[in-house]
Amino acid sequence: MEKEYEDIPGTFVFDADRSREGYHLNQFCISLRLQKNRDEFNANEEAYLDKFPMKPEQREAVLKRDWNGLLELGGNIYYTSKLAANDGINFQNLAGLMTGMGVEAYRDMMLHGGRSIEGNRYKSEWSED
């Protein structure tokens, strides 16, 4: 079922459907809040991931650190940020990576009012030139 908000570019709304899809992915991510789990994951990522019955594409997104892919596959940004934190990436740096802008450009954009709404409201507004 198509949802009205799927027309927002660059946005994966964490709704009930995405929550169900990402349940095991998010359980993995939130497990990293404990040091013993981070140590186990860092020692052998593949073996640690075996504890969570994720879809293969979710597992691959974790291993590749495909931050946007994690959200598209049902990851909750607050949970997936635990994985980023494990890798030494803070939330601002993560946003810079996810936008493709890099940290400095992202911070500068946010300090100057954020991204322009022009062309960023709805995908349906984009021309097919």
Side-chain angles (χ1 to χ4, degrees), residues 1 3 5-6 12-21 74:
M1 183 165 97
K3 298 172 183 159
Y5 49 76
E6 289 179 7
F12 304 109
V13 176
F14 189 74
D15 61 8
D17 292 332
R18 252 202 191 93
S19 174
R20 283 187 291 279
E21 179 185 2

Side-chain angles (χ1 to χ4, degrees), residues 74-93:
N76 177 298
I77 186 63
Y78 298 107
Y79 288 7
T80 57
S81 68
K82 301 290 185 203
L83 176 59
N86 179 69
D87 291 353
I89 302 168
N90 68 33
F91 211 88
Q92 181 175 304
N93 292 358

